[in-house]
Amino acid sequence: MEMPHTPATVLVVDDAPSNLTILTESLRSEFDVRIATSGAEALRLVCEVPPDLILLDILMPEMDGYEVCRRLKATPSTRHIPVIFLTAKGDVADETLGLAIGAVDYIVKPVSIPIVQARVRTHVELKRRGDILETLSMRDGLTGIANRRRFDDTLERSWRQALRHASPLSLIMADIDHFKAYNDTYGHMAGDECLRSVARTLADTLKRPGDLAARYGGEEFAIVLEDTTLAGAAHLAEDMRQAVFALGMPHQGSGVSDVVTLTLGVATAIPRPGQLPQSLLGMADRKLYEAKMAGRNRVLAATVL
């Protein structure tokens, strides 16, 4: 398992300038160290750029470390960030509370710098290994792009975001035409290579980091496009159709063309309260079916009302 080469980011949260200086100087040779002097500032920085680990003082005015940790662990996007408490509260009850809230470690002040360095190093490595395993669990083993689980998670998250901002969310469903006939003609090894080529082509067509191309199942793919209108999504779907056609992969078993082709259904919604993301998925799937019935190797699109 290959570990990332870029330095991990450690956020140090303490209202005492002397503590911040000592900790920053002791960690900066190995890590990208950022600082916050209050709980509110820490939460803001975490939302902007999530760190790999947080060193968190407990005794702070206005919002103590316990409350900061509770809020981090209650938020899906930040609950995975390991928190190490740094505190003068050395009672067993205090340590038990800190670990129960969700901290991975508890260091009592005055701290030993070598101990802090060693524990930060250990927990950063554990976090990064966990991130790698999580990434692998979200990747389709055959094509290398996102799998169905990652697609489901992304669609749910993107739907909630579009609902908050009243922005359009688009979905493309794509299917390789007559793929069973392709396997029957060229064999399953060639079929697997066809799937990989199409997957790479779809992923390469995307330009924005927030967009996602996933293998939905079999020879079917799904593409999530945040903040994208129906016209924009349909245009991108047509680019994908042409890009797959341009691969020129022979397909003698196709009744559509002598090369591999793609049929795509597109749907766009501006989510409303009470509406479910399945409505977007259902419309995209319906347009895909209609495009197949209309002769395949084409794009059909519609808005979810």
Side-chain angles (χ1 to χ4, degrees), residues 105-125:
D105 212 337
Y106 195 98
I107 302 176
V108 179
K109 296 178 180 178
V111 299
S112 164
I113 292 303
I115 291 296
V116 172
Q117 291 171 326
R119 292 190 180 182
V120 168
R121 197 178 298 122
T122 295
H123 288 296
V124 163
E125 183 177 357

Side-chain angles (χ1 to χ4, degrees), residues 112-160:
S112 164
I113 292 303
I115 291 296
V116 172
Q117 291 171 326
R119 292 190 180 182
V120 168
R121 197 178 298 122
T122 295
H123 288 296
V124 163
E125 183 177 357
L126 289 172
K127 162 68 163 50
R128 288 198 153 186
R129 288 183 182 276
D131 288 347
I132 291 173
L133 291 174
E134 179 69 13
T135 298
L136 291 175
S137 74
M138 294 286 194
R139 183 181 301 165
D140 178 62
L142 176 63
T143 63
I145 64 172
N147 61 14
R148 176 67 179 274
R149 178 186 169 195
R150 173 84 182 279
F151 165 77
D152 289 340
D153 289 350
T154 300
L155 181 60
E156 288 283 347
R157 176 185 54 76
S158 298
W159 182 270
R160 291 194 299 268

Side-chain angles (χ1 to χ4, degrees), residues 186-232:
Y186 301 100
H188 287 280
M189 289 185 64
D192 288 349
E193 185 53 42
C194 174
L195 287 170
R196 282 190 285 266
S197 296
V198 171
R200 284 194 301 268
T201 300
L202 297 181
D204 288 346
T205 306
L206 301 178
K207 305 301 181 186
R208 303 181 304 178
D211 297 337
L212 179 82
R215 187 181 179 196
Y216 191 74
E219 68 274 20
E220 196 167 12
F221 300 89
I223 297 92
V224 180
L225 303 170
E226 296 180 348
D227 197 19
T228 303
T229 64
L230 184 66

Side-chain angles (χ1 to χ4, degrees), residues 28-245:
R28 66 190 310 172
S29 64
E30 290 186 64
F31 306 103
D32 176 11
V33 182
R34 301 174 188 180
I35 62 172
T37 57
S38 69
E41 184 185 12
L43 293 174
R44 179 179 60 80
L45 292 176
V46 168
C47 289
E48 291 176 359
V49 182
D52 292 292
L53 181 139
I54 301 172
L55 280 173
L56 180 59
D57 185 27
I58 292 179
L59 298 176
M60 295 185 294
E62 298 182 9
M63 185 188 304
D64 66 16
Y66 289 143
E67 179 60 24
V68 173
C69 189
R70 287 190 186 97
R71 296 191 185 190
L72 291 170
K73 298 306 174 183
T75 305
S77 61
T78 59
R79 65 172 53 143
H80 66 288
I81 302 173
V83 174
I84 298 177
F85 277 131
L86 295 175
T87 179
K89 297 167 70 69
D91 293 344
V92 172
D94 294 322
E95 183 173 354
T96 301
L97 174 60
L99 296 174
I101 289 172
V104 297
D105 212 337
Y106 195 98
I107 302 176
V108 179
K109 296 178 180 178
V111 299
S112 164
I113 292 303
I115 291 296
V116 172
Q117 291 171 326
R119 292 190 180 182
V120 168
R121 197 178 298 122
T122 295
H123 288 296
V124 163
E125 183 177 357
L126 289 172
K127 162 68 163 50
R128 288 198 153 186
R129 288 183 182 276
D131 288 347
I132 291 173
L133 291 174
E134 179 69 13
T135 298
L136 291 175
S137 74
M138 294 286 194
R139 183 181 301 165
D140 178 62
L142 176 63
T143 63
I145 64 172
N147 61 14
R148 176 67 179 274
R149 178 186 169 195
R150 173 84 182 279
F151 165 77
D152 289 340
D153 289 350
T154 300
L155 181 60
E156 288 283 347
R157 176 185 54 76
S158 298
W159 182 270
R160 291 194 299 268
Q161 179 175 300
L163 179 62
R164 284 196 304 271
H165 299 289
S167 58
L169 178 66
S170 292
L171 177 64
I172 301 173
M173 299 295 292
D175 194 85
I176 300 175
D177 294 324
H178 299 297
F179 186 69
K180 182 180 182 302
Y182 188 93
N183 274 333
D184 292 343
T185 303
Y186 301 100
H188 287 280
M189 289 185 64
D192 288 349
E193 185 53 42
C194 174
L195 287 170
R196 282 190 285 266
S197 296
V198 171
R200 284 194 301 268
T201 300
L202 297 181
D204 288 346
T205 306
L206 301 178
K207 305 301 181 186
R208 303 181 304 178
D211 297 337
L212 179 82
R215 187 181 179 196
Y216 191 74
E219 68 274 20
E220 196 167 12
F221 300 89
I223 297 92
V224 180
L225 303 170
E226 296 180 348
D227 197 19
T228 303
T229 64
L230 184 66
H235 180 78
L236 183 63
E238 177 59 22
D239 287 345
M240 290 176 169
R241 188 194 68 80
Q242 293 183 20
V244 169
F245 184 85

